[in-house]
Amino acid sequence: MLKKNKKEVLDFFQKDGVKLTIVSGIVTTKPNLIKWVDQNIPEIGMITSKSYQIEPTEGNREPIIVEQSVGNFGNAVGLRNPGMEQGYRDLRKLKEHGLKAILNVSLAAKKAEDFIILIKKFEDIADIFELNFSCPHAESGFGSSIGSNKEIVKDYLQKIRKVTNSLLFPKLTPNVENIGEIAQVCIDQGADGIVAINTVGPELYIEPHTKKAILFNPQGHQGGKSGDWIKEIALEKIKEIREAIGSEIPIIGMGGVSCASDVIKMQNAGANVVGIGSVLARVKMEDRKTLFRLLKEDVENGSDKATNLLNKERLAQYKPYKITKIIDKTETLRIIQLEGKIDYQASQYVFLWVPDVGEKPFAIASNKPLSFVIRKKPYDKKQNKGLVTHALFNLKDGQELLIRGVYGKEAPILKNKNAVLVVGGSGIALVPALVKKLHQEGKNIVVYYGVKDQEEVIFEEKISQYAQFVPVADEGVLARVLNVVKEDLLKKSKDFFANTTVYNIGSTLMMNRAITEQEEIGIAKENILLALETKTMCGIGLCGECECGGKLLCHEGTFVSKAFIDKNEINILDL
């Protein structure tokens, strides 16, 4: 049997002590992240999935997150999910391999019949169904369009309860005056518990310098509030729900929880299980296990150690930089130089934001002057493709560019004496800082740079200070640079292979071939590194879109080893 029995699940709510979950849509959004949490954070007794719909949903394009002040966020992800079929396959596989925590599957739909279809699909694996009646920034018909009206809630639950015996926990919106009444309607119509609250709002977030809306949500560019600034509202609403439904019905409570005293207040307000959400943006990936352990210890011991892990600075603040020079190398390759500097390490990145268009992550190529390499992508407005790079190519000298960051970790420097960099196209942006760092560490460095033609060669002077620089034009042979690298490596000794790190930076197609050839030649897979460009949307470790093998690359840096790729059975061509 793949699901826990009802008694076991309901008994969990009544246990003494601290019971924690991560809220829907944050971190546990991908199968590998769910697995990582289940295996590494025993304090989390319940895992909540993202909200699944019948069909895949792309959600909103970036920016999807805003931080108005430290710990106070707005978001408009737009119920991004892979759809019912893929979601079911992912979660079933996790269940088959053993999932210790209770699995709370979140569902979103715009009519009762669609909720029923979703429930029937997930029913054999879901321990609890969280019915999303509350998302404040979803399109009309979803989320709070349901949960704001008790008659609609009544109708939905009547229809749903008739066809399932599964545990149903509607998630309610705080943006109503009668949340207690709505919660009671849910229970009267057969709900087994309540989840509250979802984000507050939605609200419009204006960037002060440009006076432009930040979030790119087609529903008026608005997004729900989460984090510290909704804490009191959450406590008030949960207390109101508890008073309305009595002491026996389970409540999963959330909203602005960031420390032990918040957990205690949430429990005192009536929550049986406490959800942790936006505060995780303020905690490094490697500290998240410790955070949950300390939260539990703090509640039990009256201490406050967990707050020492929280970042005390804003993570998503935009700053304007004036464009001082634009260098167009080709029709599709541009270098933008800016006034000022950004403190960064090799392979760290920032988001470049063009108001009314969107934002994307870019590596910082140099600080002298502050430079970014822009490769124009194919443009298709209907498919939301190439919009940001197209807009960046429309910028002129003297205009301003909005930047937030930096994010990620410095590129790893292994103990090997030799470093070979195999680079394609705009991946060269990572190289100037990386070769400087490698040089400082005493490495012997060769950079092979694959370009379409010699016109595209950039940063030769910066790189040649520290490394042998070998630009290789395609000359009609796609990725000809790999042929040159292979020929040169075959001339090397086994001792060279044993003491060499290879950094691969470029398209996944190029790197896929490169890492295969490098291992065949005799370089250990632990010494073969590649910079992966997973989809990075929030940059602060919340949305989970950049996940790769259970890692959040937005936090942990883009470089991984071929050993990591093989161990986690990752096909980089699928990223």
Side-chain angles (χ1 to χ4, degrees):
M1 188 172 180
L2 292 178
K3 63 189 295 182
K4 301 183 190 317
N5 64 63
K6 280 188 180 182
K7 184 178 186 305
E8 180 182 359
V9 175
L10 293 174
D11 284 349
F12 167 76
F13 286 95
Q14 304 306 324
K15 288 180 181 178
D16 293 333
V18 183
K19 298 175 290 293
L20 301 173
T21 186
I22 297 178
V23 308
S24 179
I26 288 181
V27 180
T28 50
T29 55
K30 296 291 184 73
N32 282 330
L33 293 172
I34 292 174
K35 180 179 177 182
W36 183 87
V37 168
D38 191 56
Q39 293 179 346
N40 291 280
I41 310 181
E43 293 79 14
I44 295 179
M46 175 186 296
I47 289 176
T48 310
S49 75
K50 64 167 60 187
S51 289
Y52 292 104
Q53 296 168 272
I54 293 175
E55 297 296 332
T57 301
E58 280 297 314
N60 299 324
R61 72 174 189 259
E62 309 92 308
I64 60 168
I65 195 83
V66 60
E67 185 183 21
Q68 290 293 81
S69 56
V70 177
N72 294 319
F73 298 93
N75 75 83
V77 178
L79 295 177
R80 180 181 177 86
N81 74 96
M84 174 178 73
E85 296 296 338
Q86 184 61 52
Y88 177 77
R89 286 193 293 270
D90 291 340
L91 296 182
R92 184 180 177 87
K93 186 176 180 181
L94 288 171
K95 279 283 196 172
E96 287 173 344
H97 285 80
L99 203 62
K100 297 189 292 291
I102 291 166
L103 179 60
N104 177 14
V105 179
S106 180
L107 305 176
K110 63 192 307 182
K111 56 185 179 180
E113 290 75 13
D114 287 349
F115 272 110
I116 291 169
I117 291 171
L118 288 162
I119 287 169
K120 289 300 181 183
K121 184 66 184 181
F122 289 95
E123 198 160 33
D124 65 329
I125 59 172
D127 300 317
I128 294 175
F129 283 117
E130 179 172 297
L131 308 178
N132 188 339
F133 288 180
S134 51
C135 179
H137 53 78
E139 65 178 274
S140 178
F142 288 89
S144 60
S145 299
I146 302 166
S148 298
N149 187 312
K150 63 182 182 181
E151 293 304 319
I152 296 176
V153 168
K154 179 180 179 181
D155 177 61
Y156 273 50
L157 278 168
Q158 278 183 343
K159 291 176 179 176
I160 294 169
R161 180 43 82 198
K162 285 179 181 178
V163 299
T164 183
N165 292 318
S166 293
L167 294 173
L168 303 178
F169 280 60
K171 187 172 186 179
L172 301 185
T173 173
N175 306 308
V176 292
E177 296 297 325
N178 60 336
I179 194 168
E181 282 184 55
I182 293 172
Q184 186 60 60
V185 168
C186 291
I187 302 306
D188 290 344
Q189 301 307 316
D192 300 282
I194 300 293
V195 184
I197 60 174
N198 209 317
T199 52
V200 175
E203 291 196 7
L204 186 66
Y205 305 92
I206 302 296
E207 195 283 316
H209 183 75
T210 60
K211 310 298 188 224
K212 295 283 190 176
I214 298 174
L215 297 174
F216 212 95
N217 177 7
Q219 312 301 316
H221 297 280
Q222 296 180 321
K225 294 168 69 173
S226 66
D228 287 348
W229 56 358
I230 71 165
K231 187 184 309 179
E232 295 307 317
I233 295 172
L235 292 170
E236 175 189 326
K237 297 295 183 179
I238 291 165
K239 183 179 179 182
E240 185 179 337
I241 292 169
R242 177 55 75 200
E243 290 173 349
I245 66 175
S247 60
E248 299 302 316
I249 304 297
I251 296 175
I252 304 172
M254 60 198 65
V257 175
S258 63
C259 63
S261 66
D262 295 338
V263 173
I264 294 169
K265 289 176 183 177
M266 195 66 73
Q267 291 175 322
N268 290 340
N272 301 90
V273 174
V274 177
I276 308 297
S278 297
V279 70
L280 293 175
R282 302 174 61 192
V283 183
K284 294 177 182 178
M285 186 70 180
E286 62 264 30
D287 290 336
R288 290 180 178 180
K289 289 192 290 185
T290 306
L291 174 80
F292 284 93
R293 176 175 60 79
L294 291 180
L295 270 177
K296 189 171 184 179
E297 290 178 5
D298 286 345
V299 172
E300 293 169 348
N301 302 328
S303 52
D304 191 29
K305 297 177 183 178
T307 54
N308 294 327
L309 298 178
L310 304 187
N311 185 292
K312 305 302 191 294
E313 299 178 354
R314 283 180 70 181
L315 301 164
Q317 181 178 6
Y318 294 98
K319 296 179 180 179
Y321 291 81
K322 185 178 180 181
I323 298 173
T324 56
K325 188 176 183 180
I326 290 176
I327 303 170
D328 285 326
K329 297 292 292 183
T330 69
E331 290 184 355
T332 61
L333 185 65
R334 161 176 282 198
I335 301 172
I336 296 179
Q337 296 180 351
L338 302 159
E339 197 174 71
K341 58 181 273 187
I342 296 174
D343 292 331
Y344 75 104
Q345 305 296 324
S347 86
Q348 287 186 305
Y349 67 95
V350 297
F351 281 84
L352 304 184
W353 176 50
V354 181
D356 300 326
V357 178
E359 69 175 4
K360 291 291 181 184
F362 289 86
I364 305 166
S366 174
N367 246 339
K368 295 181 179 180
L370 179 58
S371 304
F372 294 91
V373 179
I374 313 298
R375 171 72 73 179
K376 185 187 282 189
K377 302 287 182 67
Y379 180 77
D380 187 335
K381 189 173 182 179
K382 290 183 179 179
Q383 297 294 320
N384 287 334
K385 293 182 178 179
L387 275 62
V388 172
T389 58
H390 184 82
L392 290 170
F393 263 75
N394 288 333
L395 294 177
K396 309 294 183 185
D397 289 356
Q399 289 184 278
E400 288 184 331
L401 190 53
L402 276 291
I403 298 176
R404 68 172 173 99
V406 296
Y407 303 109
K409 286 184 179 177
E410 183 177 19
I413 308 296
L414 305 188
K415 64 180 181 180
N416 300 317
K417 184 66 176 176
N418 307 307
V420 174
L421 280 68
V422 183
V423 188
S426 57
I428 198 68
L430 275 68
V431 175
L434 179 54
V435 294
K436 182 178 180 180
K437 178 66 176 179
L438 289 166
H439 176 76
Q440 291 170 347
E441 296 292 326
K443 312 296 186 184
N444 302 316
I445 315 161
V446 182
V447 177
Y448 296 91
Y449 179 26
V451 291
K452 185 177 180 181
D453 52 54
Q454 290 296 331
E455 289 182 349
E456 291 193 342
V457 175
I458 55 178
F459 300 137
E460 182 168 7
E461 184 176 338
K462 290 181 181 295
I463 294 168
S464 296
Q465 297 177 65
Y466 309 110
Q468 180 185 350
F469 185 64
V470 185
V472 181
D474 283 350
E475 297 181 358
V477 178
L478 188 63
R480 178 172 167 266
V481 64
L482 298 184
N483 299 337
V484 174
V485 171
K486 186 175 182 179
E487 290 172 8
D488 285 358
L489 287 178
L490 286 171
K491 299 173 185 176
K492 303 294 184 180
S493 67
K494 290 184 178 179
D495 288 343
F496 178 86
F497 294 156
N499 203 20
T500 297
T501 305
V502 184
Y503 295 84
N504 296 281
I505 308 167
S507 70
T508 53
L509 191 63
M510 185 197 91
M511 291 193 297
N512 190 59
R513 176 185 155 192
I515 62 177
T516 301
E517 291 180 349
Q518 289 156 17
E519 187 179 11
E520 289 173 350
I521 287 169
I523 297 174
K525 59 178 66 178
E526 294 79 10
N527 293 333
I528 300 172
L529 305 180
L530 57 162
L532 293 180
E533 288 190 10
T534 51
K535 190 173 185 66
T536 301
M537 298 188 75
C538 74
I540 57 177
L542 288 184
C543 73
E545 288 300 318
C546 65
E547 180 273 329
C548 179
K551 285 187 174 185
L552 290 176
L553 299 190
C554 70
H555 263 210
E556 300 189 58
T558 58
F559 278 101
V560 300
S561 68
K562 188 174 190 299
F564 176 84
I565 293 293
D566 290 350
K567 179 182 177 181
N568 290 281
E569 301 179 344
I570 297 165
N571 182 353
I572 67 171
L573 298 178
D574 293 336
L575 297 177

